[in-house]
Structure formats: structure tokens, C-alpha cells
Amino acid sequence: MSLPVLYLRSRALPRTAAAVACTALFAAWAAHWIQAQPTFDHSARVPVLVLAPLLVSSAIGTSLYAAADELDRTAVRRWWPRRLAHLLALTVPAAVALALAVPGHPEAFGAPGMVRNVLGATGVTAASAALIGARLSWLPVTVYIGAVYLAAPRTPGGAASVWAWPMQPGPQVGAWAAATAAFAAGAALFAVRGARRERG
């Protein structure tokens, strides 16, 4: 069996890709169903824009687990390019699939907001994998996004566009800055350190 196949299987990438695909299909169904309602308002798609990236990032985070991380640390070749490629190979298709799942009006709660939320949530998850371990990497982003969903003001913009980036419409500059910073920091931390070693 070739090394790439062994790597893919050891990181559960086929199952992660299947989870991402199922989430994208469910998000597409939910977004179209919401839009078909007679009382449709663009803000009604906020739950889809928040929940789908959360599920995708959680699946990506669990795939960052390394069953034999001591082999990674003692390898002759540097692992950070592989870790970064692993993260990007899941994040980019997930962002594209979820962006295609949200129909119409990208300036409201549409495709740009979905891409931004996938990047931000995945960045938080990658950082969590490096700091607390891949198995629990879904927990901090779930707590954060849940708190933001409950506490964010309903009017977009202002200072809330930075700390409440998952709840903002697509073109909010502050939300994009916060989400891309979270992704860059999380991806760099995971690429350099890898997932935290876990017992058991």
C-alpha cells in the first residue's frame, strides 16, 4: 500500500470528506427550503450559515488526530507542509461546497458569508487541535459560536462585526478580517506544532 493511501486512511480523510459532503448537501436542502417559504427573509439563512461551517470544521478537526505522533516528530522530512496541505485539502473544498449550497443574494447572508465562516471556524478548530488535542478540537469553536449566536446584536456592523463574525452578512470587512486572522493563526499553529499529543 502506498504512503499517500496510508496517510489518508490513518487520518480518516475518506470519512471526513464524506461528512463534509453530507453537510453540504444538508445545507443546500435547508437553504433552499428556507428560501421557498412565503415569509422568506435573507436573515432566515443565518442558522445555515452558522451551523454548516461549525459541523464541517468539527469534522476537519477530528481528522487532525495522529495515532502515532511520535513517528511524525522523529521523521527525517519536515511535517509542517503535509499538515498544512492536509488542512487546506479539506478546508478549500468544504468552503466551495458550502458556498454553492447557499442560493442568491451573496451580499446578504450568502456564499461570501459561508466561505468566511468556514475559514474562521476551521482556524479556531485547528488552533484547538494544536493546543488541547484533535479529539476535543470541536469544543472551543462550538462554545464560541453558540455564545455568539445568542449574544450577537441583530444589527450588523460596528464593533460586533469583529467578535461576532459568524453572524455578519458577507461584505462586512471586520468580520472578514477576524475570520481570516483566525484561520491564518490556527493553520500556522497546527502546521508548526501538529495536534497535541493525547493519551489513550
Side-chain angles (χ1 to χ4, degrees), residues 6-189:
L6 286 173
Y7 180 86
L8 294 176
R9 291 183 61 184
S10 70
R11 300 303 198 269
L13 289 183
R15 282 181 287 176
T16 305
V20 168
C22 290
T23 302
L25 290 173
F26 178 75
W29 173 83
H32 282 82
W33 180 82
I34 290 170
Q35 187 165 325
Q37 300 307 303
T39 58
F40 170 71
D41 182 329
H42 295 295
S43 61
R45 292 190 297 200
V46 168
V48 177
L49 234 70
V50 172
L51 184 59
L54 175 61
L55 294 175
V56 162
S57 66
S58 297
I60 291 172
T62 56
S63 80
L64 304 180
Y65 174 73
D69 63 334
E70 64 275 2
L71 297 178
D72 295 0
R73 299 179 197 284
T74 57
V76 176
R77 295 180 180 175
R78 294 177 298 176
W79 272 87
W80 74 262
R82 290 174 178 82
R83 294 187 191 117
L84 185 59
H86 174 165
L87 189 62
L88 292 176
L90 290 171
T91 305
V92 172
V96 171
L98 289 181
L100 295 174
V102 185
H105 295 286
E107 72 281 357
F109 294 96
M114 187 69 90
V115 171
R116 180 201 63 220
N117 286 358
V118 170
L119 291 177
T122 303
V124 174
T125 303
S128 301
L131 296 175
I132 65 173
R135 290 177 175 168
L136 289 177
S137 61
W138 57 271
L139 186 57
V141 72
T142 301
V143 171
Y144 177 73
I145 290 180
V148 165
Y149 188 80
L150 296 174
R154 296 303 169 206
T155 304
S161 67
V162 176
W163 64 266
W165 52 265
M167 298 288 293
Q168 301 297 308
Q172 291 291 330
V173 176
W176 270 99
T180 53
F183 180 74
L189 187 61

